């Protein structure tokens, strides 16, 4: 259904009360325990109600339709993995700063039939306290695509909140969330290095396909992503590939253990008065690394050249504590399987 909320003329300090009258058998899933802390909580988050199966896990509330297979298969296990993902996301990008009475809502929204989540490389404006999974009726909550979507949704919340950028620089925030969707589960111990590389390789292949068809740049795709599938894939997957380049270079430079996540946190801590531009991002990268980043931005961000696989040659996801088994070099027929070096 639909609801219309009237925003008070002076909404500062106004604490709304939400009362829902639900049909028999319906339950509600909200990102707050009693009432929203303010009008922003109410207007920038979903109100989810219906025949739902709920699972609480610390500061998380997971809600899936009771008619879906996910309501009875793996809900407890998924909630525990979501807790681990949230903990690692906050370690990497900063906490969500939940206030008393707030929680992160993960809501599964059923779209169509089938078992596999449809690949939709589309930019999104995240809710402030919720992650919504668009999934078919028989989807598996524990699938790789579900874990990715959860990680991506969690990462997008602090990035959107703390790192405002102009449209030409959306590739950094959108791309980082798509890149980190595979790093976060690895660092949370949910899957190993090989799965991480396989999933990232897939994003890179999607980017290469979009690059061959889309005439615009990664920067331009920030304005055109809503107009076509290739522009959307360029922003999300091209942005992920560009973010991987930054991660690789920062790791190679070995500057105070900097990586992409710490770089994003550093940018956010600058607290600029205006949304950041590509010039701002380039300037900070050059100050941090002492390198000339003009070719990268000129050719791959503002230009239309394809980011080569060699740009990731220093990329490392294996931490010193990682087991030797997890650090094995991926094998297989993936077109990019030979160009990642683990250390």
């Amino acid at each position: 259904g639909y609801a219309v909320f009237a925003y008070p003329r002076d909404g500062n300090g106004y604490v709304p009360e939400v009362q829902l009258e639900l049909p028999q058998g319906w339950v509600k899933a909200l990102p707050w325990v009693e009432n929203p802390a303010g009008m922003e909580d109410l207007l920038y988050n979903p109100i989810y109600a219906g025949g739902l199966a709920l699972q609480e896990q610390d500061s998380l509330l997971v809600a899936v339709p009771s008619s879906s297979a996910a309501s009875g298969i793996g809900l407890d296990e998924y909630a525990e993995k979501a807790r681990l993902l949230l903990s690692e996301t906050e370690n990497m990008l900063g906490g969500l700063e939940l206030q008393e009475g707030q929680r992160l809502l993960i809501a599964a929204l059923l779209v169509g039939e089938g078992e596999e989540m449809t690949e939709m490389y589309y930019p999104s404006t995240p809710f402030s306290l919720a992650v919504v999974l668009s999934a078919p009726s028989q989807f598996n909550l524990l699938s790789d695509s579900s874990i990715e979507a959860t990680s991506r949704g969690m990462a997008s919340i602090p990035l959107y909140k703390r790192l405002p950028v102009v449209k030409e620089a959306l590739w950094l925030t959108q791309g980082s969330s798509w890149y980190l969707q595979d790093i976060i589960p690895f660092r949370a111990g949910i899957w190993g290095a090989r799965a991480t590389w396989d999933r990232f390789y897939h994003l890179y292949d999607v980017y290469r396909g979009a690059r061959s068809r889309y005439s615009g740049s990664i920067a331009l795709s920030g304005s055109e992503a809503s107009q076509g599938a290739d522009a959307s894939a360029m922003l999300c997957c091209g942005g992920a590939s560009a973010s991987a380049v930054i991660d690789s270079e920062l790791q190679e430079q070995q500057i105070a253990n900097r990586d992409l996540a710490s770089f994003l946190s550093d940018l956010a801590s600058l607290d600029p008065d205006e949304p950041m531009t590509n010039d701002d991002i380039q300037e900070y990268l050059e100050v941090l690394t002492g390198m000339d980043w003009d070719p990268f931005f000129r050719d791959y961000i503002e230009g239309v050249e394809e980011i080569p696989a060699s740009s990731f040659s220093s990329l490392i996801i294996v931490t010193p504590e990682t087991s030797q088994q997890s650090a094995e070099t991926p094998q297989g027929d993936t077109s990019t399987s030979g160009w990642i070096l683990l250390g």
Side-chain angles (χ1 to χ4, degrees), residues 5-14 39 43:
F5 296 102
Y7 196 97
R9 179 170 296 177
D10 183 10
N12 293 331
Y14 179 77
M39 286 300 295
L43 296 175

Side-chain angles (χ1 to χ4, degrees), residues 306-317:
E306 179 182 293
I307 298 173
S310 58
S311 299
F312 314 112
S313 61
S314 299
L315 193 58
I316 301 171
I317 63 166

Side-chain angles (χ1 to χ4, degrees), residues 30-47:
L30 308 173
W32 50 79
V33 178
E34 296 293 338
N35 282 297
M39 286 300 295
E40 286 193 1
D41 277 6
L42 178 60
L43 296 175
Y44 294 106
N45 286 292
I47 291 179

Side-chain angles (χ1 to χ4, degrees), residues 211 330 340:
R211 179 71 286 162
I340 296 292

Side-chain angles (χ1 to χ4, degrees), residues 106-328:
I106 302 178
L109 181 64
L110 298 187
V111 179
E113 302 294 329
E115 298 180 359
E116 295 295 327
M117 296 180 69
T118 303
E119 292 184 338
M120 296 180 63
Y121 304 101
Y122 194 79
S124 62
T125 300
F127 295 107
S128 64
L129 295 170
V131 173
V132 175
L133 307 178
S134 297
S137 58
Q138 300 301 313
F139 84 109
N140 179 2
L141 263 178
L142 300 174
S143 67
D144 289 350
S145 57
S146 176
I147 296 297
E148 277 187 328
T150 304
S151 299
R152 182 172 68 249
M154 290 178 175
S156 67
I157 294 175
L159 288 174
Y160 182 80
K161 179 180 179 180
R162 299 176 188 152
L163 189 54
V165 295
V166 298
K167 285 187 177 181
E168 291 76 17
L170 269 177
W171 63 270
L172 180 64
T173 50
Q174 291 285 341
S176 291
S177 63
W178 282 83
Y179 171 65
L180 293 174
Q181 71 176 9
D182 298 317
I183 305 297
I184 291 170
F186 169 77
R187 293 192 179 180
I190 291 176
W191 60 39
R194 184 169 304 187
T196 303
W197 294 129
D198 286 346
R199 304 298 292 185
F200 173 68
Y201 297 155
H202 179 65
L203 287 181
Y204 181 68
D205 286 339
V206 172
Y207 156 66
R208 293 180 66 198
R211 179 71 286 162
S212 68
R213 297 183 298 269
Y214 178 59
S215 60
S217 64
I218 288 178
L220 183 61
S221 69
S223 299
E224 297 186 347
S226 61
Q227 302 174 22
D230 287 331
S232 295
M234 182 61 60
L235 179 62
C236 299
C237 300
S241 300
S243 297
V245 174
I246 295 175
D247 201 14
S248 177
E249 290 294 343
L250 291 175
Q251 291 182 23
E252 184 177 30
Q253 293 291 315
Q254 296 183 342
I255 303 173
N257 296 320
R258 283 293 188 271
D259 59 7
L260 177 68
S262 60
F263 169 72
L264 294 170
S265 296
D266 288 347
L267 280 181
S269 69
L270 298 177
D271 195 22
D273 295 330
E274 300 291 335
M276 299 198 79
T277 66
N278 285 323
D279 288 341
D280 296 328
I281 298 166
Q282 179 179 343
E283 180 181 0
Y284 189 73
L285 274 171
E286 291 180 343
V287 169
L288 182 63
T289 64
M291 295 171 51
D292 179 12
W293 283 82
D294 188 64
F296 171 78
F297 281 85
R298 182 193 64 227
D299 298 340
Y300 307 131
I301 304 301
E302 304 287 350
V304 295
E305 292 189 26
E306 179 182 293
I307 298 173
S310 58
S311 299
F312 314 112
S313 61
S314 299
L315 193 58
I316 301 171
I317 63 166
V318 178
T319 61
E321 295 80 14
T322 304
S323 68
Q324 183 63 36
Q325 182 178 2
S326 296
E328 292 177 356

